[in-house]
Structures are given as structure tokens and as C-alpha cells.
């Protein structure tokens, strides 16, 4: 199957993605209201009536998913982007079930499994309602929270299952951009976990439980480095393809997160010249999510009256 | 009986391959470019004329293949209702070989030109004022189809 029609449409859609020059103009705005007005001019029409950041960004996500559904017959190819929401919903469902409270708006949209199904499965302890990659982790995480009252371990189990599901989906995808995205997402998450564990002097058993296997990192070596020190984690990274990440990690975690996003964007840019595979559509999806993240950083900065320079430090590279 | 007619069979095979392969190549090329053109027109219907030209470019190989087939058929007397020429096996092989450049170059250049047209659609989408340049890239592929057409016609006429 080719995606010639869909890619031709994506080329047009790429023109509405925000550029670095536009972001500079957005940062230069004096107030949050001015930012909304500028975004409205750029086609974020909901910015005019929507003053809430989350609602505004959610509207952008809704539009992107609706557009992808229009272009691709089988949206299950994009499940790799939904797993983070699935496992977030699982965490929320377990916490709701264990605390026996009703809280609204805790679930994320755009998931591969309905949040209601996840909640029912956890509430009724019927994990057969969940897909295989989630069922076992759901049960373990629920037991950890309900019996041992260990919220951190509950999160660790779910986060690891999410990373494993993403990596598996990437491996099974017949698209190199999805595979690259999945691998990099898991590797970056592992690096962050290892660095945090090293800084907090977590025991080896905890680190091993938290790290998920991936192809570009040797988890045994990373885990061993994390049990020693933060410098050992950086030293190990310098021997891998993520050697540049070590410098960013030494600066701060937010700089490392910025490096991860830039690393992905830099490597998917070649999809702008690919005309007949799923790659450019996946790349657009990643670029749009990156754009939403950047707009959130700027708008939050403006709302909290952060200095322009400190907002600029957090900016990511743009796809176009 | 078969050996007696083998010359004409070989010559006919050449003519058929010329029309067949070049035609298939053009159909694939035009179809691929057409899908991209439809994608462009979905959001930018005003670009219809520009993308239509890009879509049509890979269609020429099919016409060249047909032209070579017509000339070959005419030379061996299968067109016009006249008497069919009595061809030796050697002459039949010569006609077959004469048609092969158009058949194979026609097929591959049409598919390649279709892919180049698809890529050029991105220029029309993002830089509509540069559409003229966008047309040059797939047009370059046409050179080799024309060279094949030329050699096929020259050889068919030389037999």
C-alpha cells in the first residue's frame, strides 16, 4: 500500500505548522492575550474563544487525530502514540479504584482502549477486559497499591509496561519512523530513569525493575552505572549513540528532555522529502505534538510571567 | 507451419511488447501522479492545472510505445489490409530487437517519471510560483524515453 494521496495532503498541512520565526514572534508578545491573538491569526481559531491552555491544546490534538483518521484507513498504526495515554488512564483508574473516590476529567483522550473499559477492568478486577500487554501490569500495579500501599512502585510497574508496549509496537510497525520514534522514546525514558535513580541513590533492584529493554542501550550496563553514580551514567552514555545526551543531562533534566525532542525532530526531517510511505504522516504527527508542547511552554511562561530568556531556553527545534 | 511463420510471430511480439510495456509503465506512472494530484487538489483545487500537467507527463511513454508498434506493424504489413510480408526468422528477430528499447525504456522511464512527478507535487503545494521548475524535473526523465523512441524508429525503418 502506498500513501501518495495522504502524503500530498500532508505537504499542504505542513505549511500550517509553526516555524521558529513564528515562535520568536510569540515569545515577543507582551501578554498571554496577545499570544492567543497571534495564534488565532495563524489558524488556531479556537484560541480566540478558548482562554484555557489545556482546552486550547486539546482542541489542536483533536483536530490532528481527526485529520489522521481522514488520511489513513487503519489508525491502529498510530497506536504507538496512544499508549502513553492508555497507561496514564490505567494509573488513574487504579488510583480511583483503590481510593474509592470519583474524580472527573482524570482520563486522557486519544487512547487505544476506552478509559471506561480500563476503569471497569480495574474496578471489577477483571483483567481479561484489557489487552495482553496491559493486563499483567495492571494486576501487579493494583496489588502493589492496594496491598503494599506503594504508590511509587505502582507507577514504576505501569511506566515500564508502557515503555515495553511502545517498543513492541515500534518493532511490529512496518514503518521506520514509527520504529525510530518507539526506540528513541524508550531509550530516552530509560536514560532519564537511570539518571534520576543515580541522583537519588536507588538500589539496584529498584533500577532493574524500572528500566525497560531497548535495542540501542545495554540495560545491564546502564543499570550498573546507575547504581554507582550519576557520572557513571553519563560516562556510559558517551559510549552509546546518545553520547550528546550526556552533556544535556549534566546541565539539567529539562535540557535533556529538550535534547530528546530535538533529536527526534532532527532525524525525522528527511521525511519532508519522502513522497509515498507512512513516514511523512507519522512525522507530521510527531511534529504537531512537538508544536503543541512548545506552545504550552510559551503560554505557560507568559501566564506565569517568566522572563523571555528562560522561556526561550526551553524551546524545541521545529519540524518546518 | 509455425517455423514458416516464426519471422512474423517474432516481429509481432516486438510490436506488442512495445505497446504493452510502455503502456503499463505509463498507466502506473499516471496513476501514482494522479493520486498525488488528487491529494493536492483536495486542499488546493486552484492548483488543478499545474498538477494535471505533472500527472500527464508519464503518459507519453504509452503513446511512444504505440507509435513504435504502429510503425512496426505497418512495415510488416499487418496494418492497412495489404499483403502480409513474408519475414525470415532473422528479420523477425531484427524487428523484435528494434522494438525492445521502446518497450523496456518506456516501462521504466514512465514509472520513474511518475515518481518524480509525485515528488514535484510537493513544490507545487509549498511554492506554487515555482511550478515551472517543478515540471522540469520529471520532464528530464522524458529525455531517455525520447532517445529510446528514436532508436526504435530508426532501427525498424532500417530493416
Amino acid at each position: 500500500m502506498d500513501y501518495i494521496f495522504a502524503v500530498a495532503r500532508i505537504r499542504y498541512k505542513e505549511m500550517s505548522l509553526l516555524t521558529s520565526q513564528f515562535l520568536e514572534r510569540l515569545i515577543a508578545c507582551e501578554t498571554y492575550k496577545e499570544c492567543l491573538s497571534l495564534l488565532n491569526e495563524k489558524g488556531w481559531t479556537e484560541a480566540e474563544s478558548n482562554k484555557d491552555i489545556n482546552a486550547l491544546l486539546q482542541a489542536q490534538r483533536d483536530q490532528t487525530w481527526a485529520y489522521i483518521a481522514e488520511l489513513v484507513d487503519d489508525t491502529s498504526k498510530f497506536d504507538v502514540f496512544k499508549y502513553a495515554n492508555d497507561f496514564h488512564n490505567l494509573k488513574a483508574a487504579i488510583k480511583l479504584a483503590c481510593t474509592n473516590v470519583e474524580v472527573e476529567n482524570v482520563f486522557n483522550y486519544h487512547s487505544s482502549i476506552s478509559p471506561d473499559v480500563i476503569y471497569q477492568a480495574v474496578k471489577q478486577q477483571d483483567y481479561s477486559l484489557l489487552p495482553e500487554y496491559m493486563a499483567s501490569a495492571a494486576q501487579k500495579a493494583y496489588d502493589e497499591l492496594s496491598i503494599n500501599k506503594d504508590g511509587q512502585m505502582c507507577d514504576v510497574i505501569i511506566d515500564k509496561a508502557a515503555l515495553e508496549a511502545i517498543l513492541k509496537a515500534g518493532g511490529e510497525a512496518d514503518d521506520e519512523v514509527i520504529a525510530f520514534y518507539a526506540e528513541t522514546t524508550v531509550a530516552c525514558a530509560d536514560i532519564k530513569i537511570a539518571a534520576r535513580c543515580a541522583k537519588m541513590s536507588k538500589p539496584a533492584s529498584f533500577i532493574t525493575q524500572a528500566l525497560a529493554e531497548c535495542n540501542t542501550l545495554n540495560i545491564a550496563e546502564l543499570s550498573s552505572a546507575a547504581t554507582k553514580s550519576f557520572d557513571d551514567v553519563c560516562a556510559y552514555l558517551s559510549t552509546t549513540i546518545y553520547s550528546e545526551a550526556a552533556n544535556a543531562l549534566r546541565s539539567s533534566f529539562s535540557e535533556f528532555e529538550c535534547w530528546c525532542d530535538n533529536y527526534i525532530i532532527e532525524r525525522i526531517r528527511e521525511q519532508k522529502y519522502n513522497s509515498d510511505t507512512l513516514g511523512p504522516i507519522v512525522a507530521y504527527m510527531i511534529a504537531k505534538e512537538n508544536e503543541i508542547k512548545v506552545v504550552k511552554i510559551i503560554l505557560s511562561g507568559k501566564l506565569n510571567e517568566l522572563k523571555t530568556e528562560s522561556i526561550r531556553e526551553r524551546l524545541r527545534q521545529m519540524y518546518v | 507451419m509455425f517455423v514458416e511463420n516464426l519471422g512474423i510471430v517474432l516481429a509481432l511480439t516486438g510490436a506488442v511488447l512495445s505497446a504493452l510495456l510502455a503502456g503499463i509503465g505509463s498507466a502506473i506512472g499516471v496513476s501514482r501522479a494522479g493520486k498525488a494530484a488528487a491529494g493536492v487538489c483536495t486542499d488546493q483545487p486552484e492548483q488543478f492545472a499545474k498538477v494535471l500537467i505533472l500527472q500527464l507527463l508519464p503518459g507519453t511513454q504509452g503513446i511512444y510505445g504505440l507509435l513504435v508498434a504502429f510503425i512496426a506493424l505497418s512495415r510488416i504489413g499487418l496494418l492497412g489490409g495489404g499483403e502480409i510480408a513474408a519475414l525470415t526468422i532473422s528479420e523477425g528477430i531484427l524487428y523484435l530487437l528494434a522494438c525492445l528499447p521502446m518497450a523496456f525504456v518506456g516501462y521504466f522511464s514512465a514509472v520513474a517519471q511518475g515518481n518524480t512527478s509525485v515528488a514535484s507535487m510537493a513544490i507545487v503545494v509549498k511554492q506554487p510560483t515555482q511550478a515551472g521548475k517543478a515540471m522540469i524535473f520529471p520532464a528530464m526523465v522524458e529525455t531517455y524515453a525520447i532517445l529510446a523512441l528514436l532508436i526504435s524508429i530508426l532501427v525498424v525503418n532500417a530493416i
Side-chain angles (χ1 to χ4, degrees):
Chain A
M1 181 179 179
D2 62 52
Y3 293 90
I4 294 172
F5 174 82
V7 173
R9 293 197 65 192
I10 277 292
R11 293 285 170 255
Y12 177 69
K13 208 68 181 160
E14 279 171 5
M15 287 167 36
S16 61
L17 286 172
L18 305 184
T19 61
S20 302
Q21 290 84 351
F22 180 84
L23 293 181
E24 281 299 325
R25 285 178 62 201
L26 202 60
I27 293 174
C29 289
E30 291 288 326
T31 62
Y32 176 73
K33 206 175 168 185
E34 268 185 47
C35 287
L36 291 184
S37 172
L38 192 61
L39 283 169
N40 183 43
E41 281 174 27
K42 185 68 184 172
W44 289 42
T45 47
E46 60 283 353
E48 189 63 13
S49 55
N50 230 323
K51 306 297 177 207
D52 173 51
I53 294 181
N54 290 329
L56 172 66
L57 301 180
Q58 189 56 46
Q60 283 291 313
R61 282 199 183 93
D62 292 345
Q63 282 176 18
T64 308
W65 278 106
Y67 194 72
I68 295 293
E70 204 181 312
L71 293 183
V72 183
D73 293 335
D74 178 14
T75 52
S76 68
K77 292 179 193 298
F78 288 81
D79 278 356
V80 70
F81 297 105
K82 294 178 178 173
Y83 286 153
N85 288 341
D86 282 331
F87 283 90
H88 162 86
N89 292 343
L90 177 62
K91 265 187 205 173
I94 289 175
K95 282 166 190 172
L96 286 181
C98 285
T99 52
N100 239 343
V101 291
E102 294 288 331
V103 184
E104 284 184 3
N105 299 327
V106 290
F107 294 118
N108 281 348
Y109 300 109
H110 307 303
S111 51
S112 64
I113 314 155
S114 159
D116 291 335
V117 172
I118 294 179
Y119 185 61
Q120 286 311 314
V122 174
K123 191 90 179 159
Q124 296 163 11
Q125 294 284 292
D126 180 6
Y127 297 106
S128 64
L129 296 172
L130 300 176
E132 201 181 327
Y133 60 81
M134 189 184 264
S136 148
Q139 187 161 14
K140 272 192 217 163
Y142 182 86
D143 292 345
E144 201 63 52
L145 191 62
S146 62
I147 300 166
N148 301 333
K149 309 290 180 204
D150 189 343
Q152 188 184 34
M153 190 47 73
C154 167
D155 285 353
V156 164
I157 292 167
I158 294 173
D159 289 341
K160 185 175 181 178
L163 294 176
E164 286 170 346
I166 289 171
L167 191 73
K168 188 164 180 278
E172 287 168 357
D174 55 359
D175 180 81
E176 59 177 23
V177 183
I178 293 179
F180 165 76
Y181 172 79
E183 175 65 30
T184 311
T185 301
V186 176
C188 288
D190 277 341
I191 293 169
K192 206 156 66 175
I193 292 167
R196 282 201 171 130
C197 286
K199 282 202 164 179
M200 295 166 76
S201 303
K202 287 281 183 187
S205 57
F206 180 89
I207 298 169
T208 312
Q209 269 184 300
L211 294 177
E213 284 291 337
C214 66
N215 302 317
T216 47
L217 289 173
N218 183 327
I219 294 305
E221 282 186 42
L222 182 63
S223 173
S224 160
T227 54
K228 290 174 192 159
S229 71
F230 177 75
D231 284 336
D232 282 291
V233 172
C234 294
Y236 167 68
L237 284 182
S238 59
T239 66
T240 68
I241 60 165
Y242 306 106
S243 54
E244 288 170 20
N247 292 334
L249 203 53
R250 279 197 179 96
S251 296
S252 67
F253 279 110
S254 72
E255 193 148 320
F256 172 69
E257 282 170 6
C258 191
W259 179 88
C260 295
D261 290 337
N262 289 344
Y263 179 79
I264 292 176
I265 290 292
E266 275 170 21
R267 274 152 189 80
I268 62 168
R269 274 211 186 101
E270 63 190 41
Q271 295 306 316
K272 285 196 287 185
Y273 312 106
N274 175 353
S275 43
D276 61 355
T277 69
L278 189 63
I281 305 163
V282 177
Y284 174 79
M285 186 79 207
I286 297 170
K288 191 68 194 177
E289 196 52 48
N290 184 55
E291 175 183 291
I292 290 170
K293 199 183 279 181
V294 171
V295 170
K296 187 175 184 179
I297 289 168
I298 296 174
L299 292 183
S300 306
K302 291 290 170 191
L303 267 184
N304 295 300
E305 295 175 353
L306 290 184
K307 284 182 186 164
T308 303
E309 275 317 303
S310 57
I311 297 174
R312 193 174 280 118
E313 277 170 13
R314 291 171 172 78
L315 289 191
R316 270 74 169 152
Q317 285 183 25
M318 305 309 282
Y319 181 61
V320 289
Chain B
M1 180 70 180
F2 177 73
V3 177
E4 276 173 29
N5 292 327
L6 193 55
I8 197 84
V9 169
L10 288 169
L12 194 60
T13 305
V16 166
L17 281 178
S18 172
L20 187 75
L21 290 182
I24 291 173
S26 278
I28 294 171
V30 171
S31 147
R32 289 173 69 82
K35 283 188 218 173
V40 173
C41 288
T42 305
D43 298 304
Q44 296 170 286
E46 69 278 8
Q47 304 298 350
F48 173 75
K50 289 170 188 165
V51 294
L52 183 67
I53 296 170
L54 284 172
Q55 189 200 354
L56 289 178
L57 284 174
T60 51
Q61 282 84 343
I63 301 168
Y64 299 160
L66 190 70
L67 182 65
V68 169
F70 267 129
I71 296 171
L73 291 175
S74 172
R75 294 273 301 170
I76 59 181
L78 284 174
L79 276 184
E83 195 176 319
I84 299 171
L87 294 181
T88 64
I89 293 176
S90 302
E91 285 171 329
I93 291 172
L94 288 175
Y95 274 110
L96 173 62
L97 291 175
C99 292
L100 289 186
M102 193 62 250
F104 286 101
V105 179
Y107 174 82
F108 288 109
S109 68
V111 173
Q113 199 171 30
N115 291 338
T116 318
S117 285
V118 168
S120 289
M121 301 274 180
I123 302 176
V124 177
V125 171
K126 294 190 172 179
Q127 308 276 348
T129 55
Q130 305 295 319
K133 290 176 187 165
M135 282 165 205
I136 291 173
F137 300 124
M140 296 298 283
V141 185
E142 190 78 10
T143 312
Y144 304 96
I146 293 171
L147 294 180
L149 171 70
L150 201 62
I151 202 70
S152 284
I153 290 177
L154 286 175
V155 178
V156 166
N157 282 321
I159 298 166

